[in-house]
Amino acid sequence: MIKGGANNRDVKKINRIRTMRSIFACERISQPELAAKVGNSWPTVLQNVKELMEMGLVQEVGTFESTGGRKAKAFAPVRNARYAVGLEITQNHIGAVLVDLSGELVRFERKKRPFERCDAYAAGLAELVKSLLEKEGCPTETVLGVGISLPGILDRDEKTLVYSHALGLRGVPVEEFSRCIPFPCRFINDANAAGLAEIRGRENLHSLVYLSLSNSVGGSIFTGGSLYVGEHLRAGEFGHMTLVPDGRPCYCGKRGCVDAYCSAKVLSALTGGNLALFFDGLRAGDRTLQAAWDEYLAHLAVAVNNLRMIFDCDVIVGGYVGGFLSEFGAPLRELLARHNTFEPDSSYLKFSRYQLESSALGAALVHIESFIQSL
Ligand SMILES: [Zn+2]
């Protein structure tokens, strides 16, 4: 884990963070269990525990009975020691989440509010943050910050929204979104944020491809547990991989892109723009919708198989359509098993854990993670 050049301070920091994560992964943990989990001697772990307790992040919660007669101390996370807020801005909605220090979702709200580039919209975002904190009674001093997920490409220092098709913006300072919010703000691309939410807590998952099937198709790539952004910060723009040469027109101006076949709009367009109605129709046995679904899955299977062949890791499918795959995705698994060159299997395909909250959640997690890294 520790790279060659790590000095003493790095080692201490890594151990403290590992101690914190180990405690936060449980409801309560005994002294010997904790030492075993962290992989350090108890005196080293104890020093870290003491420091975390002084910071108010960990508490002692009684004792565990142990077989030797001596009682083992037990520790627990103080999950409400800090909070972070996440906002997801889309063309027509704003999603908002509150997460605690363990990254658990405390509250999720989503409201219809078409994007407008104006003062009232920016003030509305701040109002939403304020009401979310008030509803949960979070003291402002416990708030690490607000993460804002945007449907577009951001520059490397998170200062400019370089391009957003969904919002119709190009080269806009992100400060326009955060100027009324009285907390530190961070910005992140929506699919990258959703990928972060999905990879959280999936231990042993170091590499991952996340494919988002919402009103546009996007995605994110994680290698070695970190986000891969590419040379021009456009990595994971899976929506514009060419699926069909000279195929259907894509909003980007090209033809045959994955987006033109796999966006949620392909389905919701058949039911008046309402995706839930499309799946209601499938449940009710509507033949036209079933044929559209079969065609959709045939295209999606090619896209997902390509991702598997390129990245050789698990592929999580999320976004608006991803939320329906646990119920309707069995044929996708069969198609993938057929496409798979190496084994007649599609167990690498995972369905997302979240429906509409993933991007806001991932944006909030940016603050939680940087707080943990600052310990
Ligand atoms: Zn395209």
Side-chain angles (χ1 to χ4, degrees), residues 239-240 250-252 254 257 259:
H240 306 292
C250 176
Y251 71 82
C252 74
K254 308 289 175 193
C257 294
D259 197 285

Side-chain angles (χ1 to χ4, degrees), residues 37 123 168 176:
K37 219 169 153 186
E176 288 194 12

Side-chain angles (χ1 to χ4, degrees), residues 26-327:
C26 322
E27 283 308 309
R28 65 204 293 260
I29 187 165
S30 75
Q31 186 180 318
E33 274 176 323
L34 181 57
K37 219 169 153 186
V38 178
N40 280 126
S41 68
W42 178 245
T44 308
V45 177
L46 181 63
Q47 185 54 36
N48 286 321
V49 170
K50 272 188 181 160
E51 287 169 11
L52 293 168
M53 283 172 64
E54 278 163 19
M55 287 184 251
L57 309 179
V58 165
Q59 58 188 332
E60 206 178 307
V61 283
T63 51
F64 275 104
E65 292 295 339
S66 71
T67 45
R70 242 181 95 196
K71 286 177 177 173
K73 280 183 181 169
F75 301 97
V78 183
R79 298 184 196 279
N80 62 359
R82 298 287 188 285
Y83 291 97
V85 175
L87 296 178
E88 185 200 12
I89 290 166
T90 75
Q91 195 173 21
N92 289 310
H93 292 87
I94 302 170
V97 300
L98 182 70
V99 303
D100 66 20
L101 189 51
S102 54
E104 284 299 316
L105 192 65
V106 177
R107 194 176 186 96
F108 169 60
E109 289 178 11
R110 189 166 191 262
K111 61 179 203 172
K112 190 160 175 93
R113 175 71 169 92
F115 171 73
E116 279 179 283
R117 198 177 172 192
C118 65
D119 290 341
Y121 188 87
L125 293 177
E127 203 46 52
L128 192 57
V129 171
K130 189 169 164 239
S131 88
L132 203 63
L133 295 173
E134 280 172 3
K135 280 175 195 162
E136 289 298 325
C138 299
T140 50
E141 63 273 17
T142 63
V143 180
L144 295 171
V146 178
I148 302 179
S149 147
L150 293 169
I153 295 163
L154 288 143
D155 67 347
R156 209 172 282 276
D157 58 5
E158 299 177 19
K159 290 245 181 337
T160 308
L161 178 60
V162 179
Y163 173 66
S164 169
H165 172 78
L167 304 183
L169 298 177
R170 204 178 272 274
V172 168
V174 292
E175 198 264 337
E176 288 194 12
F177 295 93
S178 59
R179 63 190 162 186
C180 302
I181 299 173
F183 297 104
C185 290
R186 296 281 305 268
F187 296 85
I188 184 168
N189 163 271
D190 54 356
N192 290 349
L196 272 181
E198 289 293 347
I199 202 167
R200 183 187 73 88
R202 297 190 196 233
E203 283 179 34
N204 311 321
L205 203 62
H206 300 295
S207 298
L208 170 74
V209 166
Y210 173 75
L211 175 65
S212 173
L213 306 172
S214 290
N215 284 344
S216 63
V217 175
S220 48
I221 303 158
F222 293 82
T223 65
S226 303
L227 188 62
Y228 172 78
V229 293
E231 291 288 317
H232 308 92
L233 309 167
R234 297 177 207 145
E237 284 290 337
F238 304 133
H240 306 292
M241 299 193 300
T242 303
L243 195 61
V244 179
D246 291 323
R248 295 178 196 162
C250 176
Y251 71 82
C252 74
K254 308 289 175 193
R255 283 186 166 273
C257 294
V258 168
D259 197 285
Y261 296 85
C262 299
S263 104
K265 283 181 176 171
V266 170
L267 305 172
S268 61
L270 303 171
T271 45
N274 185 328
L275 188 66
L277 283 184
F278 176 90
F279 288 100
D280 285 347
L282 274 195
R283 268 186 217 103
D286 184 309
R287 288 188 175 203
T288 313
L289 297 185
Q290 185 61 52
W293 181 237
D294 293 343
E295 189 192 11
Y296 179 93
L297 289 183
H299 288 120
L300 178 60
V302 175
V304 172
N305 181 62
N306 287 348
L307 295 177
R308 171 67 174 182
M309 291 303 118
I310 298 165
F311 294 103
D312 186 27
C313 64
D314 280 2
V315 177
I316 296 185
V317 180
Y320 299 169
V321 177
F324 291 94
L325 285 177
S326 49
E327 185 178 352

